[in-house]
Structures are given as structure tokens and as C-alpha cells.
Amino acid sequence: QKEVEQDPGPLSVPEGAIVSLNCTYSNSAFQYFMWYRQYSRKGPELLMYTYSSGNKEDGRFTAQVDKSSKYISLFIRDSQPSDSATYLCAMSESSASKIIFGSGTRLSIRP
Amino acid sequence: EAQVTQNPRYLITVTGKKLTVTCSQNMNHEYMSWYRQDPGLGLRQIYYSMNVEVTDKGDVPEGYKVSRKEKRNFPLILESPSPNQTSLYFCASKSRGGETQYFGPGTRLLVL
């Protein structure tokens, strides 16, 4: 079993929809949770960075962490065609330890 | 401008011929790392470094070496490349708390 599981998609939604992306994990020691966006032929870019449980909002993006269920989510409101990309979740036990990534979800926003 | 640079961007080599991929960052970040990305497997961390002269293995370190003699540089060394190391490689750096992270543009390696 992988430490971090992420549905690869692809996920296709119409412009303006709310998108929900999710990851589950098995290591209860994970404390730091991240979401990255990766456009084709580019390096990943950090979207959201959260510590422990709870919600974090940044513009149209909201990250949620539920440590009791070992489940994290990224919500994108008012989705735009420019949000079409692969989204990767990642987590680590500390800010200085190794980082484990999910396999990524390919998202397509239809105009 | 905050930047992580990698060289070369593209490399074709043959089995067994030692190669080095360089990585440099201009943000004075302490943490640097190397990843490989393969279809269906996502990003997998090869090695990471918490500071100068401090490195540790990631998930897939076999066949790779790293060194961190200066804060800004973190080269990846393949002493005897094999075809299963054909992949897309990314270098990254992040601030101590992790809130600021940058990835390089990637190095596409083909080992024949």
C-alpha cells in the first residue's frame, strides 16, 4: 500500500464549478501537508501549505486537513480554464524531513 | 527574482557513463532536494539536504549520489547510469518553515 493515495483522474468539470481534489494517507506521523500545481512541461509550484489539522484559504483555493481520517482536500472555487493542470498532494513528518507525494490528479476545466 | 536553476535541461547518455546534473538556488534556502518524475508514479524524492554537509535519503536513493558543500548548490551525481534512471528530474529548495518552495525547470534524462 502506498503511503499517499491520490486518484489520478482525469477529472473534467465545466468552468465556474467547484472542484474537490483529495488524498488519503497511512502515516499518522505526517504533520505538514502541501498541494502543488503542475502545468505540462513545467516544474510543480506550491499552492497551499498547512500544518496539522484545519482549513486554510487563499483566494479561490481552500485546503482542508482531517488527521483523524487521514484525509486531505483541496477545493477550487469558480474554476477557470487556466486551472487546468495536474495537482499533486504531498506530506511530511517535519519541515526538515523527506516529502512523500501522491501520484497527481489531472484536472481539465471546460470553457 | 527567486530562482532554482538546473543544468543541463536535456541529456542523452549511455549506460555506465558518469554524469552530474547541477542545481543552484538564489534564495538562501537551507533545504534542497532532488526528485524524479515518472508517468503514473508522481514525484519521488531521491535525496534531500537540510543544510550544508547534511544530506539524507529520500524514497528512491539507489544509484544516485549528492553533495552539499555550499548552501546554494546541490548537484545530483549518477556514477553509473542505467536505463531505469531515464526520467524527468527536478531540483527544489524551500525555506526552513516550508512556506516558500521553488522547483527548477526539470532535466530530462535518457540513458541508452
Side-chain angles (χ1 to χ4, degrees):
Chain A
Q1 184 193 1
K2 288 183 182 179
E3 272 191 287
V4 179
E5 300 274 4
Q6 184 174 10
D7 188 332
L11 180 62
S12 179
V13 302
E15 183 176 356
I18 296 175
V19 176
S20 171
L21 303 166
N22 311 294
C23 288
T24 59
Y25 62 95
S26 57
N27 184 355
S28 58
F30 286 144
Q31 297 270 33
Y32 292 81
F33 304 91
M34 294 145 280
W35 285 97
Y36 299 81
R37 177 176 62 197
Q38 185 176 22
Y39 292 114
S40 182
R41 300 185 175 278
K42 299 286 188 184
E45 55 179 316
L46 180 67
L47 277 179
M48 301 292 282
Y49 181 83
T50 54
Y51 169 72
S52 196
S53 281
N55 293 1
K56 184 174 182 179
E57 190 173 318
D58 185 0
R60 296 184 295 111
F61 298 91
T62 300
Q64 282 187 354
V65 175
D66 182 349
K67 290 186 70 180
S68 62
S69 301
K70 297 192 183 72
Y71 188 89
I72 69 170
S73 301
L74 178 72
F75 297 96
I76 307 174
R77 290 183 299 280
D78 187 25
S79 55
Q80 306 292 311
S82 58
D83 295 327
S84 298
T86 296
Y87 289 80
L88 300 149
C89 66
M91 38 202 88
S92 64
E93 294 183 12
S94 78
S95 63
S97 60
K98 71 178 179 181
I99 301 173
I100 307 295
F101 279 77
S103 55
T105 299
R106 196 145 47 99
L107 173 67
S108 175
I109 309 296
R110 306 189 302 270
Chain B
E1 180 194 351
Q3 206 168 22
V4 176
T5 56
Q6 296 177 227
N7 282 292
R9 295 288 314 279
Y10 303 91
L11 181 58
I12 301 174
T13 189
V14 295
T15 298
K17 187 175 181 182
K18 180 179 179 179
L19 66 92
T20 299
V21 185
T22 64
C23 174
S24 183
Q25 51 100 359
N26 64 358
M27 295 153 286
N28 203 37
H29 284 165
E30 291 175 344
Y31 187 108
M32 296 185 73
S33 55
W34 276 101
Y35 300 88
R36 60 178 290 174
Q37 188 169 37
D38 303 288
L41 296 177
L43 272 169
R44 292 179 293 168
Q45 196 173 41
I46 302 170
Y47 269 97
Y48 62 102
S49 169
M50 294 76 79
N51 214 327
V52 175
E53 302 290 5
V54 182
T55 62
D56 207 346
K57 295 177 182 178
D59 256 5
V60 288
E62 297 79 18
Y64 304 94
K65 279 179 60 177
V66 292
S67 68
R68 187 92 181 273
K69 298 192 187 320
E70 306 165 280
K71 201 170 188 179
R72 63 181 292 124
N73 296 323
F74 191 44
L76 178 70
I77 303 155
L78 283 71
E79 298 239 329
S80 183
S82 62
N84 65 12
Q85 293 177 299
T86 291
S87 188
L88 177 58
Y89 291 86
F90 288 103
C91 179
S93 74
K94 69 182 181 82
S95 57
R96 179 181 294 186
E99 300 89 350
T100 306
Q101 301 185 26
Y102 293 95
F103 278 76
T107 294
R108 197 166 288 276
L109 172 65
L110 172 62
V111 183
L112 300 172

